[in-house]
Amino acid sequence: MFRTRITELLGIEHPIISAPMAGIATANLVAAVSAAGGFGLIGGTTPGGADWLREQIRAVRERTDRPFGVGFISSFPGLDELVAVALEEKVAAISHSFADPTTYIPAAHAAGVKVLVQVQTVAQAVVAVNAGADAIAAQGTEAGGHTGYSGTMAIVPTVVDVAKGVPVIAAGGIADGRGLAAALMLGAEGAWIGTRFVASVEAVRPQWQKDRIVEASADDTVVTRAYDLAANAAFPDYIIDRVLRNDFTDVWAGRDADVAARRDELGPEVARATQENNQAIAPVRAGNASGMVHAVEPAGDILRRIVREAELILRERVKAVLRSED
Ligand SMILES: Cc1cc2nc3c(=O)[nH]c(=O)nc-3n(C[C@H](O)[C@H](O)[C@H](O)COP(=O)(O)O)c2cc1C
């Protein structure tokens, strides 16, 4: 059993948070993670808007009385209305990613809701700490989906160093007990996991996308802005998007100006491909940790195995690598 400042802060058993993946982390996944003793975050930024979000929050509560939260893509339009729903419903925590969270923190605290902030740089972490964030998720570039440029191994301890005691959560590249154990050794108080939970029974994804993650190795991802430029998605310029390679990325990754110029054609093409499950073109957002995913499994089983493995590693590995004094 672990006890860290994140388990204490969120009132959970295990230091694992499932990422707020839009359209993927709905009530089913969140309830499964929270019921297993982790902390599930609903991906709150979806076309369903405020009504959908309220339904999802209530659906989690029907399945578990354990704490959970809602995470936002805070650079997207419509944020205020979504945050208002989460605060009215008094979820345990909200998370902000991809925008400065400062103006949202006082109202959340007034409602008794904790604020987790996901950052890609040390400078963003300083802003979040000064604004009163309750915890910082330091996201390394290994992460699936939208991410930054620093690796997890460096961003986590450097964020810990500026966090003034605010607990840090490691995100990016963690899919098994080795990753959780390493994150704790880097000074993080928990792990924030996306890709591994996409390949869960409860995640909302077409089966072929889950299967592609199972089949993929750590070598099979690429970072690109092509999908965001084609869709005109409201992510900041400094954010890149890690996806599994396919024919579309082979043609368009790294050709930002060309994609932007042909948005009218490529935007509808990608939307249609997604609708029709065209594997050559539709995006599969997933990180390098795909190489550690070998089966689609129930989220609770995934979580419990990660915790079990991490405990074993932390007990045994130290004995194996530290030379005794005598
Ligand atoms: C399919 C997918 C969708 C994601 N969507 C979001 C999102 O909507 N909001 C967000 O804050 N982060 C999102 N992320 C990033 C996660 O919050 C997290 O940083 C990442 O998954 C951690 O790295 P990992 O994928 O290696 O576990 C997404 C990640 C994936 C894999």
Side-chain angles (χ1 to χ4, degrees):
M1 292 288 280
F2 289 102
R3 197 183 70 222
T4 74
R5 285 185 294 137
I6 281 297
T7 61
E8 307 263 287
L9 178 80
L10 298 174
I12 54 177
E13 219 176 310
H14 307 302
I16 292 184
I17 291 155
S18 62
M21 300 178 285
I24 300 169
T26 66
N28 277 348
L29 177 60
V30 169
V33 167
S34 287
F39 192 83
L41 283 168
I42 297 172
T45 306
T46 74
D51 291 342
W52 178 88
L53 180 56
R54 201 182 298 277
E55 278 165 29
Q56 293 297 312
I57 291 170
R58 294 182 179 174
V60 177
R61 290 205 166 115
E62 277 166 24
R63 293 165 167 82
T64 180
D65 54 8
R66 301 275 183 98
F68 67 96
V70 179
F72 303 104
I73 301 175
S74 305
S75 55
F76 271 32
L79 176 65
D80 289 3
E81 210 190 342
L82 297 171
V83 170
V85 169
L87 300 193
E88 277 161 30
E89 293 289 328
K90 296 203 180 302
V91 296
I94 57 172
S95 75
H96 285 282
S97 301
F98 314 122
D100 183 346
T102 302
T103 54
Y104 290 91
I105 294 181
H109 285 168
V113 174
K114 305 271 191 309
V115 182
L116 319 176
V117 180
Q118 179 165 246
V119 302
Q120 292 79 36
T121 67
V122 177
Q124 290 164 6
V126 170
V127 170
V129 166
N130 290 339
D134 296 287
I136 310 289
Q139 187 204 39
T141 191
E142 298 92 318
H146 293 90
T147 187
Y149 292 92
S150 282
T152 304
M153 192 78 165
I155 192 79
V156 170
T158 51
V159 166
V160 169
D161 287 345
V162 299
K164 297 182 183 158
V166 173
V168 173
I169 308 157
I174 302 169
D176 61 20
R178 294 172 293 185
L180 173 58
L184 297 171
M185 291 301 98
L186 292 174
E189 305 283 329
W192 173 296
I193 298 179
T195 298
R196 178 56 272 211
F197 285 121
V198 178
S200 70
V201 172
E202 292 86 350
V204 179
R205 273 299 83 172
Q207 188 62 40
W208 70 268
Q209 295 207 9
K210 298 181 183 182
D211 291 343
R212 278 217 61 202
I213 292 175
V214 169
E215 288 153 14
S217 90
D219 304 342
D220 292 330
T221 74
V222 61
V223 285
T224 178
R225 299 195 65 232
Y227 286 116
D228 289 338
L229 289 168
N232 210 9
F235 284 99
D237 291 347
Y238 59 83
I239 290 295
I240 46 181
D241 184 17
R242 189 174 294 282
V243 297
L244 296 184
R245 275 186 60 183
N246 59 15
D247 291 354
F248 183 85
T249 64
D250 284 351
V251 174
W252 295 110
R255 294 174 58 191
D256 291 1
D258 294 341
V259 175
R262 293 176 64 175
R263 175 174 293 150
D264 290 350
E265 168 203 340
L266 294 176
E269 186 182 330
V270 172
R272 202 168 42 247
T274 302
Q275 196 80 34
E276 294 171 357
N277 290 311
N278 178 339
Q279 302 189 23
I281 297 175
V284 179
R285 297 200 160 86
N288 301 111
S290 301
M292 289 175 262
V293 178
H294 305 301
V296 176
E297 295 166 302
D301 292 354
I302 294 169
L303 187 145
R304 283 184 286 269
R305 186 173 60 242
I306 294 173
V307 170
R308 229 180 17 247
E309 285 172 0
E311 282 178 0
L312 193 67
I313 289 165
L314 290 170
R315 283 186 215 288
E316 301 300 326
R317 188 87 181 119
V318 175
K319 273 190 260 164
V321 297
L322 272 188
R323 225 182 269 226
S324 81
E325 293 298 317
D326 38 49

